[in-house]
Amino acid sequence: MTGPVLQTERLTLRPTAIEDFPRWAEMMADAEASRFIGGPQSPETAWRGFMTMAGAWSLTGVAMFSLIERSSGLWQGRIGPWRPLGWPGTEVGWGLHPDAQGRGYGVEAATAAIDHAFDALDWKEVIHCIDPDNLPSARLAERLGSSNLGPTRLPPPFETAPVDRWGQSRDQWRARRGR
């Protein structure tokens, strides 16, 4: 496992590790949890996405963090910097296991990930690609201080998916955080 490890009050954010896969597969099999991140997947299909994230860490040093609940050691989701080839910007994206939803983990982890993107990766802006029907993600983006910047397009195979580009600049983030 290579890459940074971040700590928040309740979470450890670290690169993907093999022991994360069972709960990753649970999240991706859940119809509601996976609805806007590829839809329900078999373990075999989820494995390929899981390995893509691990490979991104290995090859680029940038990928979504695994969220580990400090009190239980359980994998709670993935949040972090993400920039696939052809992506419309430097994204901090997220996906939470059903057990983790509604507990404030999204804001807590995304805040740490955005700080990391601006401070360690020297990104100038952060975006979030959100389906217009994904109201929980839109609310999370708003809580983070991001604004809906309008429709955007994702690269294949997602080019027909409706997606809004939410985001903010590093200066906006820092001003909001008093930094």
Side-chain angles (χ1 to χ4, degrees), residues 156-172:
F158 308 109
E159 69 272 20
T160 61
V163 176
D164 286 335
R165 183 177 187 263
W166 289 72
Q168 63 186 297
S169 70
R170 178 170 54 197
D171 291 341
Q172 290 169 319

Side-chain angles (χ1 to χ4, degrees), residues 9 12 26 34 38 41 61 68 72 74 83-84 91 107 113 121 132 137 140 158 168 172 174 178:
E9 181 182 339
T12 297
E26 284 177 16
S34 68
Q41 298 176 359
I68 308 301
S72 68
L74 282 176
R83 180 107 198 248
E91 179 169 25
V107 171
L121 303 176
S137 278
L140 175 54
F158 308 109
Q168 63 186 297
Q172 290 169 319
R174 287 182 175 165

Side-chain angles (χ1 to χ4, degrees), residues 149-162:
L149 305 172
T152 192
R153 289 186 56 134
L154 299 179
F158 308 109
E159 69 272 20
T160 61

Side-chain angles (χ1 to χ4, degrees), residues 85-178:
L85 184 64
W87 218 246
T90 47
E91 179 169 25
V92 169
W94 47 78
L96 294 172
H97 190 281
D99 295 351
Q101 295 177 11
R103 298 175 65 187
Y105 286 165
V107 171
E108 186 175 331
T111 297
I114 293 171
D115 279 343
H116 174 74
F118 287 141
D119 297 342
L121 303 176
D122 198 32
W123 285 5
K124 305 294 185 245
E125 75 167 350
V126 163
I127 67 163
H128 321 290
C129 296
I130 300 175
D131 184 299
D133 291 335
N134 190 345
L135 300 180
S137 278
R139 283 192 298 272
L140 175 54
E142 287 175 336
R143 289 185 67 195
L144 295 168
S146 291
S147 300
N148 188 336
L149 305 172
T152 192
R153 289 186 56 134
L154 299 179
F158 308 109
E159 69 272 20
T160 61
V163 176
D164 286 335
R165 183 177 187 263
W166 289 72
Q168 63 186 297
S169 70
R170 178 170 54 197
D171 291 341
Q172 290 169 319
W173 176 256
R174 287 182 175 165
R176 185 175 165 274
R177 302 256 298 146

